[in-house]
Amino acid sequence: MAARDARDGRGGRSKGFKVAGLALAGALLLGFAAVGWTYWHLNGNINSVDIEGALGDDRPARPATVPSPSASPVPTGALNILVLGSDSRSGEENRELGGGDSGGARSDTAMVVHLDAGRTAATVVSIPRDTLVDRPSCPLESGDSTREASNAMFNTAYELGGPVCAVKTVESFTGVRMDHYIEIDFSGFAKLVDALGGVTVTTDVDIDDDKSHLYLDAGTHHLDGTEALGLARTRYGLAGGSDLARIELQQNLVKALLEQIATTDLLTDPPRLYQVADAVTGSLTTDTGLDSLGELTGLGRSLGGLAADDVRTVTMPVDPAPWDPNRVIAHEPDAGDLWESLR
């Protein structure tokens, strides 16, 4: 009897281990499935545009590059990225946040992000939307092309020809090759800020803007996503409705957002990490060189040594247009010198 009890005990433990093992295996399978679904979902969120294919060789030359050290697991070469903020993914969310309707899209924010070789410093150059430029002819998906135009407002390039024309126009008046293109829409930016728990910014002036729906006293404020988007878009609540004053707010917001990301330990909070990743990928349009989660992750890993204090923000030097005080033109030779430093 004792022997039977001993055998039954061993059998019970064996059965228990078997059930536990099956449960663990099931959990692992579910875990792998969840990871697989998450990767598939996030990867599928990203829209892309074939800039290279559309523009071909009619572009500024790529700068000579120094190969990354063999020990480096990520790229370390210099990089130029055109970053646009837009309402191109039209829909109810964007309209509620002040975006356009399904009849068109706008690009109110344009920045050239230059990453130095080694990826330990960056320069962010804001381009005023009211800058008058010579807009080149751009290819369209239909096979037609847009017309060339002199003294055209910079942001009309995106409105008429989308990302391809935005890139070609920037390359045309800067002489700088854009290695990548990233566009984030209104609602996605707001979701990203909310996923990070908001962002803290300081303003030196009162803001009272009915168009961006933002009302703030001068001082330090912790903003949610909708408020942060309002800050990025506010213009008419500032002195003279200046686009240059808005750019200064945008640059301060970018630095504050970088600091928020740096102080948020996403790796120890998987739900928030997923929320942030979903917000980012769900609002992105990129060139085909960055249109996968792996490529975006690789870019992010290469910036691991970049702190907010290592990011310099500047605005392209401009002067009021002599024939239109509501428009600006590049101030030379300073603007040319700035772009030369990024080549």
Side-chain angles (χ1 to χ4, degrees), residues 285-306:
T285 299
T286 72
D287 67 283
T288 49
L290 284 179
D291 64 351
S292 75
L293 197 58
E295 288 163 332
L296 285 173
T297 300
L299 175 62
R301 289 177 59 208
S302 76
L303 304 179
L306 188 67

Side-chain angles (χ1 to χ4, degrees), residues 132 150-151 320-329:
L132 297 179
S150 297
N151 292 319
W323 56 90
D324 188 344
N326 296 315
R327 301 290 179 260
V328 297
I329 57 175

Side-chain angles (χ1 to χ4, degrees), residues 2-120:
R4 176 184 293 179
D5 290 342
R7 287 195 300 272
D8 288 345
R10 288 195 299 272
R13 287 192 297 274
S14 176
K15 184 177 181 181
F17 291 146
K18 184 177 181 180
V19 171
L22 289 173
L24 177 60
L28 288 173
L29 285 174
L30 287 174
F32 286 133
V35 170
W37 180 88
T38 298
Y39 186 92
W40 172 83
H41 172 72
L42 296 177
N43 215 49
N45 275 346
I46 306 167
N47 283 348
S48 65
V49 177
D50 186 3
I51 304 288
E52 292 276 341
L55 296 184
D57 296 327
D58 184 20
R59 307 178 66 184
R62 295 185 187 276
T65 58
V66 178
S68 300
S70 57
S72 175
V74 294
T76 58
L79 211 60
N80 290 306
I81 306 172
L82 177 61
V83 179
L84 296 186
S86 79
D87 61 354
S88 67
R89 288 192 178 188
S90 301
E92 183 177 349
E93 287 180 302
N94 272 331
R95 287 195 295 273
E96 289 177 353
L97 292 167
D101 57 27
S102 58
R106 299 170 298 179
S107 172
D108 285 344
T109 304
M111 299 178 177
V112 173
V113 178
H114 173 79
L115 304 174
D116 290 357
R119 311 281 171 94
T120 57

Side-chain angles (χ1 to χ4, degrees), residues 63-65 76-83 111-126 176-180 299 303 306 310-314 338-343:
T65 58
T76 58
L79 211 60
N80 290 306
I81 306 172
L82 177 61
V83 179
M111 299 178 177
V112 173
V113 178
H114 173 79
L115 304 174
D116 290 357
R119 311 281 171 94
T120 57
T123 300
V124 179
V125 183
S126 294
V176 179
R177 175 76 170 239
M178 296 296 111
D179 300 291
H180 290 298
L299 175 62
L303 304 179
L306 188 67
D310 301 320
V311 179
R312 179 174 69 109
T313 55
V314 298
L338 173 62
W339 298 123
E340 177 65 30
S341 70
L342 306 186
R343 294 188 187 122

